[in-house]
Amino acid sequence: MNELPAHVQRARRPEHKELRLAAIVEAARSLALEKGVRSVTLTDIAARTGINKSAVLRYVETREDIYLRLTAECWERWAAALREELGERTDGTPDELADVLCRTVVGQPLLCDLLAHAALHLERHVSTDAVLAYKLTALAALEDMVGVGSRFQSSLDEAAARELIGTVSLLAGALWQISTPPEALARLYVEEPRLAHAAVDFLPRLTSAARAMAAGLAARGE
């Protein structure tokens, strides 16, 4: 009889369990990027991984636990992208910071999708330990971004940079859901002129709002 692939076999040693968990998370990531977080079920994830649903639940609490882990990972990716974009510069402006924040978060489509789901659904269907782990990871990424952002330009102190980044994340989550409607709605917006306003151009709308807020925060600090 042919052996099952390593990631499908029952995990017994710690390193095998880590590989199984990584396979589950990767399956959830790829499915979400293909069809959106809302549409992915635990059964889908199990099928993509090659194991049954009950086996998946040996490694994670719930479907939401998987996506909360991914949300935390995506915050770290956003922080890394911001660091790479801004480097060690200290001569930037609030507008430039707003632009880079928006461009880097839009470059993380999975994060944009997950941001709206985290508080509404994901945090409500996991243990308090899982929520704590997520919150601490996201907070560390946020503080990293605050340090980089406030160093990049002198008009916003750390409190203002934190407020700007937090608001950009909230707006990104909301605007992503509006700007990526299901196929039937997207078609309706094209066919019905009275609904044209519902078709949101994600990056320009997000950047416009972020620039306005950055300008206001800078003026408040003068």
Side-chain angles (χ1 to χ4, degrees):
M1 179 181 295
N2 293 330
E3 290 188 358
L4 292 173
H7 74 281
V8 177
Q9 296 174 26
R10 184 179 179 85
R12 301 182 187 281
R13 298 173 61 180
E15 59 267 32
H16 295 162
K17 292 179 180 179
E18 289 298 319
L19 287 172
R20 176 67 66 83
L21 177 58
I24 291 167
V25 171
E26 187 55 40
R29 184 204 315 278
S30 63
L31 285 163
L33 288 170
E34 289 169 18
K35 60 181 185 176
V37 172
R38 184 185 293 104
S39 301
V40 182
T41 67
L42 191 61
T43 300
D44 294 332
I45 295 168
R48 177 64 61 90
T49 310
I51 60 179
N52 61 50
K53 187 161 66 173
S54 62
V56 171
L57 293 174
R58 296 192 189 108
Y59 303 94
V60 295
E61 297 176 5
T62 58
R63 165 195 175 276
E64 288 76 15
D65 179 26
I66 302 170
Y67 281 114
L68 203 58
R69 291 167 187 257
L70 278 168
T71 310
E73 179 188 304
C74 286
W75 268 99
E76 292 179 320
R77 288 172 180 260
W78 187 16
L82 187 70
R83 283 198 310 273
E84 184 175 350
E85 284 273 347
L86 299 185
E88 298 298 321
R89 284 184 57 192
T90 58
D91 59 344
T93 66
D95 269 0
E96 287 179 296
L97 178 59
D99 290 351
V100 176
L101 280 170
C102 295
R103 188 167 65 251
T104 50
V105 76
V106 171
Q108 305 286 331
L110 181 56
L111 176 60
C112 293
D113 193 358
L114 285 165
L115 283 169
H117 293 285
L120 284 174
H121 305 294
L122 305 183
E123 295 178 13
R124 298 167 187 255
H125 297 281
V126 296
S127 66
T128 53
D129 286 345
V131 174
L132 178 61
Y134 159 66
K135 293 284 192 183
L136 291 178
T137 301
L139 179 61
L142 173 61
E143 292 306 309
D144 183 13
M145 296 170 75
V146 167
V148 171
S150 59
R151 183 181 68 239
F152 173 70
Q153 51 71 58
S154 59
S155 300
L156 304 180
D157 60 16
E158 288 194 354
R162 186 176 296 106
E163 188 172 350
L164 176 62
I165 295 165
T167 302
V168 167
S169 73
L170 292 173
L171 288 173
L175 287 171
W176 175 264
Q177 302 303 326
I178 297 169
S179 64
T180 56
E183 184 178 345
L185 282 181
R187 189 164 54 248
L188 178 63
Y189 297 158
V190 172
E191 295 171 353
E192 177 50 72
R194 290 173 297 178
L195 299 181
H197 67 281
V200 172
D201 197 349
F202 184 31
L203 179 57
R205 179 71 67 87
L206 181 63
T207 302
S208 176
R211 280 189 163 214
M213 183 174 186
L217 288 168
R220 189 176 73 184
E222 291 177 353

